Amino acid sequence: MGVINVTPDSFSDGGKFLKTEFAVSHALELIKQGADIIDIGGESTRPGADVVSVNEEINRVVPVISQLRNLDSKITISIDTSKALVMRAAINAGANFINDVNALQNIGCLETAAQSNLHVCLMHKQGQPKTMQKNPEYEDILTDVMEFFEQRIENCKQANIQDKNIILDPGIGFGKTLEHNLALLKNIKQLKSLGYPILIGVSRKTMIGQILNSEVDDRLYGSLAIAQFAYMQGAEYLRVHDVKATADVLKITQKLM
Ligand code: 8Y4
């Protein structure tokens, strides 16, 4: 899964059109590099980020999704949102995968996912982006995340979301310390015991900076090490910024396994 952010902070200035054009051409490049899914988000989900209005989020992502869908009728387009109205607009524009860091807990999201019959990634997080990294605590991180998944899966079942459409994600960096993140990555096999595919998003994240003492633009090798590790533990989906590098690592790893 290749990441496309359609947010002002990642595309500096330039008009709406330029932002759309840049995002679409970047998506096409990621597809060439081997991405099977393009994850498109219009609200920065990074720690400390501001909240974006529904209309603003729709205005950011819908043009990118429509144009990309016009240029590639086959690629899986993931909408990265926690808002039901954004999900609906994105699906109408051609998105066919839902990536919700709020695990369909907002109003209307369970119903929207059920009606769409699309794959949906349920991500665990503790707290809200603005404050979640301020001293996160758990009694037991693995138990907490597993219980959260079991509860969300139950809610999905009640909403008539098909089992085959559910993907689970422990939410690396979302209300977690380095130790919490490491415990989750080391226990992917346990997470898989719930019976659903696992998605891991760790590309360029803070935990790599904490281990290597590196800034965000110097985290590629660390990202690749974790991508390979997650793959070998059985993660089926990897959300990454550097698609070519990750695809090369996984092709070699596959041959060796
Ligand atoms: C550098 C680069 C520093 C990226 C921080 C970040 C996930 C996700 C995000 C994830 C799923 C991010 C939308 C945060 N992370 N969706 N989204 N799983 N499913 N931060 O781990 O990339 S955004």
Side-chain angles (χ1 to χ4, degrees):
M1 172 185 275
V3 179
I4 299 286
N5 284 310
V6 201
T7 51
D9 31 310
S10 42
F11 292 93
S12 58
D13 39 53
K16 272 240 157 58
F17 177 72
L18 258 176
K19 271 193 288 193
T20 303
E21 196 179 56
F22 187 87
V24 172
S25 70
H26 188 40
L28 293 174
E29 180 62 29
L30 296 185
I31 294 166
K32 266 194 212 145
Q33 293 178 1
D36 298 312
I37 306 172
I38 300 296
D39 187 43
I40 298 175
E43 180 188 28
S44 183
T45 345
R46 289 175 193 208
D50 288 321
V51 177
V52 174
S53 79
V54 173
N55 279 338
E56 174 63 20
E57 206 179 321
I58 289 175
N59 290 339
R60 287 178 187 178
V61 296
V62 161
V64 179
I65 294 167
S66 323
Q67 288 181 34
L68 183 58
R69 179 53 76 219
N70 259 328
L71 293 163
D72 190 322
S73 58
K74 283 202 163 96
I75 191 74
T76 298
I77 301 178
S78 162
I79 175 63
D80 157 22
T81 190
S82 298
K83 302 185 182 94
L85 288 171
V86 179
M87 285 176 195
R88 286 169 190 265
I91 292 163
N92 279 333
N96 53 350
F97 187 109
I98 298 168
N99 177 26
D100 185 358
V101 302
N102 204 37
L104 305 179
Q105 291 175 101
N106 285 349
I107 295 170
C109 288
L110 281 169
E111 295 80 0
T112 300
Q115 282 162 18
S116 73
N117 197 28
L118 298 175
H119 283 87
V120 54
C121 178
L122 306 173
M123 199 195 78
H124 173 274
K125 73 173 154 60
Q126 184 182 78
Q128 295 306 314
K130 252 197 178 325
T131 52
M132 66 190 177
Q133 286 309 103
K134 286 182 182 165
N135 194 30
E137 289 185 74
Y138 298 84
E139 200 176 310
D140 182 87
I141 179 73
L142 194 63
T143 309
D144 190 308
V145 169
M146 297 276 280
E147 283 177 4
F148 173 80
F149 284 153
E150 285 171 331
Q151 200 171 71
R152 293 313 299 155
I153 290 162
E154 183 54 34
N155 287 311
C156 285
K157 279 197 205 309
Q158 281 172 15
N160 276 331
I161 292 172
Q162 292 191 64
D163 239 19
K164 67 160 180 68
N165 284 338
I166 296 174
I167 296 153
L168 304 176
D169 179 348
I172 299 302
F174 284 82
K176 284 144 192 137
T177 64
L178 172 59
E179 274 61 43
H180 296 143
N181 292 321
L182 289 171
L184 291 167
L185 289 166
K186 289 181 194 184
N187 288 287
I188 288 173
K189 281 180 182 148
Q190 272 235 49
L191 300 177
K192 278 173 70 75
S193 73
L194 290 170
Y196 300 86
I198 302 295
L199 185 151
I200 298 291
V202 71
S203 176
R204 299 182 186 174
K205 280 186 181 174
T206 302
M207 71 166 288
I208 297 161
Q210 289 170 321
I211 298 170
L212 301 180
N213 193 21
S214 61
E215 294 304 317
V216 63
D217 56 359
D218 193 26
R219 294 177 186 166
L220 174 59
Y221 308 140
S223 300
L224 296 178
I226 305 180
Q228 185 189 43
F229 181 82
Y231 177 77
M232 291 181 72
Q233 305 307 303
E236 285 87 351
Y237 299 85
L238 298 170
R239 181 181 179 275
V240 306
H241 300 87
D242 304 283
V243 170
K244 165 73 164 86
T246 309
D248 277 2
V249 165
L250 295 187
K251 277 181 206 163
I252 299 289
T253 307
Q254 238 163 19
K255 287 290 183 197
L256 290 165
M257 289 173 80

